[in-house]
Amino acid sequence: MEDSMQPSTQVTQDQTAEKPLQGLSLDEAAQRLKRDGPNQLPKPHQRNFLRILADILKEPMFALLMAGGAIYWLLGDHTEAFLLLLFATFSISITLVQESRSERVLDALRDLASPRALVIRSGERIHIAGKDVVRGDVLVVNEGDRIAADAYVVNGHDLLLDESLLTGESVPVNKLPQAEPDSSKPAIPGGENSPAIFAGTLVVRGTGHALVTGTGLNTEMGKIGHALGSINTEQAHLQKQLRWFVRDFAIIGFVAAVLAVLLFGFLRGSWLQALLGGIALGMSLLPEEFPLVMAVFMAMGAWRISQARVLTRRASAIETLGATTVLCTDKTGTLTENRMTLVAIENANTQWHQDKNIPFADDTKHILNSALLACPHEPTDPMDVAVYRLAEAQNPQSIAEFKAHKLLRAYGLRPDLFAVTNIVEKEKNVTAYAKGALEAIAQLCKLPAEEIARLSEQANQLASQGIRVLAVATAKIENQHLPESPRDIAFGYLGLLGFADPLRGNVPAAVAECRSAGVRVIMITGDYPLTASAIATEAGICSQDILGGDVLVGDDLEKLNDEELSQRVKTTSIFARIRLNQKLRIVQSLKASGEIVAMTGDGVNDAPAIKAAHIGIAMGGRGTDVAREASAIVLLDDDFGSIVKTIRLGRRIYDNLRKAIEYIIAVHIPIAGLAILPLLMGLPIMLSPVHIAFLEMVIDPACSVVFEAEKEEGDVMKRPPRNSKSPLLTPQRIWWGAIQGLVALSILASLLIYGAYQKMPEADLRAFVFTALVLVNMGLILVNRSFKASLARAFLRPNRSLYILLSIVTAVLAITIYWPPAQRLFHFGQLQWNDLAICLVASVVSLLILEGIKAKWFRVV
């Protein structure tokens, strides 16, 4: 059918030459852009600075700080009221900065991903951002371009487009120009000889002009992107658990605060002081650190993984990756370098392999030159580029000689014939050259069954080495009449070409690390089974003894019902000749089997599978906007090793998050105890809201910044994935946090009783107890740095954030207890040196007791 395009194309081009296209004027384009909106998918829900700030101001801790400030203001203590406001401002700044930074990163990605377009406006060609293309624009279409909007071709030459992103079909389709669109026939992707072209598709060959008919959501890609809204994105289980923690602790804190207010008010008669005591107790129990910890951990995790060229669109996805049990990956560009190389040329008379020291024979050169003459003049396909490179390496003049041939006719790939053919003329000699799949070339050459079987065996031997195979043929054209189809040409078979896409160097080690971490790697590819099996074996995904065996092919997959497929996915690690719409079924089957699935992809038709997976991973280098929007993670360099780094980081984040929350539980017990014990013992209030706010300035950066910066545990990639539905803290972990808090409270309560027994003045006793509390708190931070490592080994692991925090806290504590203005602000008296020594000893004793319990509790060797 492609032959019919030549006359009409030439007529259209002549007409265009007489009446050059003018396109829209700049004013018209600006008006349409304002009216129709940008040519892009709607941005997902975003929070600007004010929205983030408003959400933070709704936090209960902020409300308690404001209430405490108001009461101090009523009591006439304006300085303390101002200090509480200052603490509140500092506390919310961390979350505000981190979340604003995350939103800016996502905006930068969208701007980076926006394609460029060449359009004609006011008679001139100009490059614009793809989002600025409007309906009625004239697109200039060239080989290698990514189409920016839906359009129809008004003129063109030899246009061949890859629409696999929309159709899943790998065979490019021919496009014929048309003066006016036919509204009676709907424009459908994949239409052979249709004038319709679609956003996101790739121009494989040819040039032309196209009139834009649809932008944004009105494109075929936009419709698919909009339809993704029907698939619910998995919510991280961790987020749900943290909500439960906050809810339960908030209820406990509220009830305790109310009881404290009533108890203090009725027993002592001072209701304002009772409110301050109740607020202090509520603040001591309120787990306001939980959402802060989650926000900081996820934002910092996103920043850390970005250093490995991975962009996190949903930060919680990093944590979920730590629970991944199955990682589904494609082959080309992820496991391999996406850099095709021509490594073998074979026929009955000659064999040449790149890794063998065999000179080029005449037959080899003839096969290579024939393959070159079957390529376009400006190659974009990786295999065509590989042929160019080898031909030029063998003969620097070969490209110039090739272009000296006059192209008379080009036949593109067709669904029924996976081969391309060029008819060229040189010195009045007309010759046809074809290259394509072996079965297609065998048809063109009309080879007997015995010969086809022999060649297939030869091709399979190459494929078993991970080599992709094409065949080459040629024929003399004796008359001037060009045939209607390449099937009408009497081709003669020449030989086979073998192409290799080398495995990335870091893939075997990354796959081995996945295995040790209990993560099963599955390859899903459109390639041939033997090629896929060879690459999988080289990568370590499967063992050598199943080469060509344990592979599920797309056609066989279609014959399986859901139950049968569910059984197959439990044991199959290679899926070959898979069509894009089959990926979703594989992902759903894995999920139904209880697996936590991470899925990579790059095309529009990959998007449903990416979004359906627990973790969707899009390719940043070759991926589409729709795939990125559906994903949680974007690999900017399409490297499999980056996924494994992200899994490692996900596990590290989860471990450190548990450490932080255990610390939060532990530290809140002595604070709450010191807030309520004086009420029960008839002593003056030791901790007021300003003291709790000061402690939060230590706790907040400790549980967020310090624990987030901790190095991973030694066995982080040697243990199986955790159950994603298991609680964040097991009963053992909760008890461990509670034991830490109770030990610390016991020691601090002893100091409180000792001070009261020594009849210390109220201000001196408060300084004494508060200093001990801060030092014991430092010990809790050190204890929780590692689950299993001893204190000595933990100190060998550097953590600059920890050392900075401890230094700052020590300096500020010294100021508050020895600088008179700070003493008055915190209602402290004079802390004697011997009392300070007692506080230090109590802190060390607490640390040693907890280290001993930890050694037995977790069986530290």
Side-chain angles (χ1 to χ4, degrees), residues 719-768:
R719 51 173 121 114
R722 60 179 175 79
N723 186 339
S724 65
K725 295 184 179 180
S726 64
L728 177 64
L729 293 181
T730 61
Q732 183 190 37
R733 298 287 183 187
I734 294 174
W735 274 111
W736 169 233
I739 286 172
Q740 293 181 70
L742 291 172
V743 168
L745 177 59
S746 299
I747 292 174
L748 292 169
S750 300
L751 294 181
L752 175 64
I753 295 171
Y754 166 79
Y757 179 78
Q758 293 293 325
K759 300 190 182 319
M760 286 186 181
E762 176 184 332
D764 291 359
L765 179 60
R766 182 176 293 110
F768 177 61

Side-chain angles (χ1 to χ4, degrees), residues 46-65:
Q46 288 179 280
R47 297 191 302 162
N48 57 27
F49 180 87
L50 293 178
R51 178 64 183 274
I52 296 172
L53 181 60
D55 289 344
I56 294 173
L57 296 182
K58 296 176 185 176
E59 291 292 331
M61 179 60 76
F62 184 80
L64 287 175
L65 286 170

Side-chain angles (χ1 to χ4, degrees), residues 233 288 328 343 419 436 475 542 560 576 770 786 860:
T233 303
E288 65 93 19
C328 299
V343 296
C542 63
L560 300 178
F770 185 81
S786 173
V860 177

